[in-house]
Amino acid sequence: MGYVDVAAVGHILPDGRELFSDVSFRVGEGAKVALVGPNGAGKTTLLRMVAGDLPVKTGAVARTGGLGVMRQFIGMIGDESTLADLALSLAPPALRAAGHRLAETEAAMREAEVRGKYSTAAGKAQLAYADALAAWGEVGGYDAEVLFDTVATIVLDLPWETARDRPVRTLSGGQQKRFALELLLRGPDEVLLLDEPDNFLDVPGKRWLEGRLRESAKSVLYVSHDRELLARTADRVVAVEGGSAWVHPGGFASWHEARVARHARLDELRRRWDEEHQKLRELMLMYKQKAAYNDGMASRYQAAQTRLRKFEEAGPPPVPPKDQDIRMRLTGGRTGKRAIVCDQLELDGLTYPFDLEIWYGDRVAVLGANGTGKSHFLRLLARGGTDPDPANGPVDAGLTLAPVAHDGTARLGARVRPGHFSQTHDRPELMEKTLVEILWRGDEHRAGMDRHAAMAALSRYELAGQGDQRFGTLSGGQQARFLVLLLELSGATLLLLDEPTDNLDLASAEALEAGLNAFEGTVLAVTHDRWFTRTFDRFVLFRGDGEVVETPEPVWDVA
């Protein structure tokens, strides 16, 4: 069995700021340990250090057993990457290297044979391929192919030979996550590192993951913001906050209470430290005054100085981390009474024709299993519907959205200006720009602002410290908050949110809920967040059989 030991680990950001220090915890054999904490506190960085992706310059990380890693955005390994590429990216290093060599030699052999089947080059290429094939078998490649076939059949209902060359981008986010999780949970690695494993999963998928984690004998360290999943799976909680971390030995259900008690205890210890510090200082000053006219007090003065110095060098106890204060000001604006009208709208290969009217001010949760067309529906509306009206202004605030194949019509009402939040944060034009630069320069849809105004806006989203950081280097939660800020500044009157809470910590999700409550406009949100869904008043269900219906209450278990 495998385990992970993290001892006194620290990390300094490229700009010289300390992200965290003195982080210590253990993931024992078969344990399920959750990393929780605010966005940007360092959870993903810790996972990357344990995985070996980042060097450990302060402290030490020890681990035994094979290590399987699932990163936050697993499908983003190349626009043309295939399912075979994804499977190899999740395989053990030796198997991964042998698989890449096998693919390269096979391609070289086919190219040489095209040039001349019986040429010397073709013969060398065939020998190289034979060697690579032997190496593939030696590292367990054929056993891996059996696993790949099993998982492809479970997730896609396709044999591996049919599925292996399928582009990853043709799979939904949930299918990508389910494929990766099945591979890792069924694979040989004894230790798993999972960054947001529940993101993109529908509710049945999350329940499946909860069951698989509970029954697995593997040691698992994972990051999640889904409170129900955490409560059902975590044996222990490591809270990353306030520039360090602390360990709660119980599950997530008792973590909140333990956190409140810990903060109260830290407050009390700091109060006592301040009182003792004040007493020692007053004592030192008293002896200093007496020693000025009585030489016999000089030794006591020196002793008081030494005692005060040692007390200060030991330092005060840590103060409780400051709670986040995120203020989202999603303003919106008045539009026509009918915000969206769908007439016999049919998404090709996904839904049957359906009618739908959404009125100004509605809060609509779009529910359904993965792959039923929910994200396609939002993208179609973000492009302005089936017949965009230029009078409504720009529809995507800088996003480039792929066309959506459809029949029927989807029209936006008067003065409806949609703003789209992408599930995968796919904004390549922002990746190399700093947050202040993005806000300062603006774009064709949004006027820029000076640095002072930009920092004020970032401060409301708890992003002031990341103002000069590139968007692409932010954590998933920080990216999500910044994208909501761009929606706020865009003047959108229709918010189209695709899984907006996936990467948000609890405080950020609550701030989003408060912002949506104050928003003067219409909201459509695709979500599998059971808690977030309860804040909506209408529910549109995309069923697995292609029907799109409205339900009076949230519905989760529909094929």
Side-chain angles (χ1 to χ4, degrees), residues 272-285 308:
R272 291 181 182 180
W273 190 92
D274 288 339
E275 290 177 353
E276 183 65 18
H277 183 244
Q278 183 64 24
K279 288 179 182 178
L280 292 176
R281 180 171 174 79
E282 289 174 354
L283 184 65
M284 181 273 295
L285 292 174
L308 176 62

Side-chain angles (χ1 to χ4, degrees), residues 67 73 256:
L67 184 68
F73 298 113
H256 292 280

Side-chain angles (χ1 to χ4, degrees), residues 435-500:
L435 305 192
V436 169
E437 182 182 7
I438 295 167
L439 297 180
W440 169 55
R441 291 188 176 180
D443 52 40
E444 61 181 304
H445 310 304
R446 173 180 50 80
M449 54 178 63
D450 61 33
R451 184 177 178 87
H452 177 75
M455 292 303 293
L458 291 171
S459 181
R460 287 192 291 103
Y461 280 72
E462 293 275 351
L463 291 170
Q466 289 74 40
D468 293 316
Q469 194 171 331
R470 294 194 310 277
F471 177 81
T473 66
L474 300 177
S475 71
Q478 289 171 327
Q479 287 185 358
R481 272 184 281 162
F482 186 71
L483 292 177
V484 174
L485 172 58
L486 292 185
L487 280 181
E488 173 188 309
L489 299 175
S490 72
T493 58
L494 167 64
L495 297 181
L496 303 168
L497 310 177
D498 197 352
E499 299 287 3

Side-chain angles (χ1 to χ4, degrees), residues 156-469:
L156 303 174
D157 199 24
L158 293 172
W160 181 240
E161 283 304 312
T162 302
R164 61 178 299 142
D165 294 322
R166 179 172 175 177
V168 174
R169 56 180 167 75
T170 65
L171 276 64
S172 70
Q175 288 173 319
Q176 292 177 23
K177 278 287 176 85
R178 182 71 181 270
F179 182 84
L181 287 167
E182 286 279 10
L183 277 182
L184 291 172
L185 288 166
R186 293 171 178 271
D189 295 317
E190 297 170 340
V191 178
L192 300 183
L193 306 180
L194 310 178
D195 197 354
E196 303 281 6
D198 53 291
N199 283 6
F200 306 109
L201 292 181
D202 53 24
V203 173
K206 290 185 179 186
R207 291 173 176 167
W208 164 83
L209 177 58
E210 291 165 0
R212 290 299 305 275
L213 286 176
R214 286 196 303 267
E215 70 188 20
S216 176
K218 298 177 185 290
S219 306
V220 185
L221 177 64
Y222 62 104
V223 173
S224 175
H225 299 302
D226 188 300
R227 293 180 297 172
E228 291 199 36
L229 183 140
L230 289 168
R232 294 171 183 268
T233 58
D235 304 323
R236 183 172 301 178
V237 177
V238 176
V240 184
E241 57 182 358
S244 189
W246 60 280
V247 179
H248 174 54
F252 185 75
S254 58
W255 174 76
H256 292 280
E257 184 179 347
R259 183 174 185 265
V260 171
R262 180 176 184 270
H263 287 189
R265 186 168 63 255
L266 290 175
D267 278 333
E268 176 63 17
L269 291 174
R270 184 57 186 254
R271 184 186 65 79
R272 291 181 182 180
W273 190 92
D274 288 339
E275 290 177 353
E276 183 65 18
H277 183 244
Q278 183 64 24
K279 288 179 182 178
L280 292 176
R281 180 171 174 79
E282 289 174 354
L283 184 65
M284 181 273 295
L285 292 174
M286 180 193 70
Y287 282 128
K288 179 181 180 181
Q289 185 178 19
K290 289 184 177 182
Y293 58 82
N294 185 347
D295 292 341
M297 291 293 174
S299 60
R300 293 190 180 185
Y301 170 50
Q302 291 177 352
Q305 280 185 308
T306 301
R307 186 177 176 188
L308 176 62
R309 186 182 72 254
K310 290 182 177 180
F311 185 82
E312 290 176 338
E313 287 175 350
V319 296
K322 180 178 70 72
D323 288 333
Q324 295 185 90
D325 182 22
I326 300 170
R327 300 180 303 281
M328 299 181 179
R329 297 173 182 169
L330 296 161
T331 54
R334 185 72 200 188
T335 70
K337 290 184 179 180
R338 289 182 175 85
I340 301 169
V341 178
C342 298
D343 184 12
Q344 290 298 288
L345 179 63
E346 179 181 4
L347 304 179
D348 288 2
L350 294 169
T351 73
Y352 290 117
F354 66 93
D355 298 330
L356 181 66
E357 282 192 348
I358 295 174
W359 298 75
Y360 166 78
D362 279 350
R363 299 295 190 265
V364 183
V366 182
L367 311 177
N370 289 322
T372 53
K374 305 182 301 299
S375 296
H376 288 71
F377 178 51
L378 255 62
R379 287 208 310 273
L380 178 64
L381 297 177
R383 290 173 58 87
T386 56
D387 185 20
D389 182 358
N392 285 351
V395 298
D396 59 15
L399 280 163
T400 302
L401 297 170
V404 178
H406 65 275
D407 289 310
T409 61
R411 300 186 304 276
L412 302 185
R415 300 181 300 281
V416 172
R417 184 178 181 184
H420 183 259
F421 179 98
S422 171
Q423 183 181 28
T424 55
H425 307 174
D426 46 355
R427 298 294 296 270
E429 78 282 5
L430 304 181
M431 298 302 285
E432 297 302 319
K433 297 179 182 178
T434 68
L435 305 192
V436 169
E437 182 182 7
I438 295 167
L439 297 180
W440 169 55
R441 291 188 176 180
D443 52 40
E444 61 181 304
H445 310 304
R446 173 180 50 80
M449 54 178 63
D450 61 33
R451 184 177 178 87
H452 177 75
M455 292 303 293
L458 291 171
S459 181
R460 287 192 291 103
Y461 280 72
E462 293 275 351
L463 291 170
Q466 289 74 40
D468 293 316
Q469 194 171 331

Side-chain angles (χ1 to χ4, degrees), residues 118-169:
Y118 301 104
S119 66
T120 302
K124 290 181 178 179
Q126 289 169 354
L127 287 174
Y129 176 67
D131 289 341
L133 204 59
W136 174 249
E138 289 174 359
V139 297
Y142 298 115
D143 291 336
E145 288 180 354
V146 172
L147 175 62
F148 297 165
D149 184 70
T150 299
V151 173
T153 303
I154 292 173
V155 177
L156 303 174
D157 199 24
L158 293 172
W160 181 240
E161 283 304 312
T162 302
R164 61 178 299 142
D165 294 322
R166 179 172 175 177
V168 174
R169 56 180 167 75

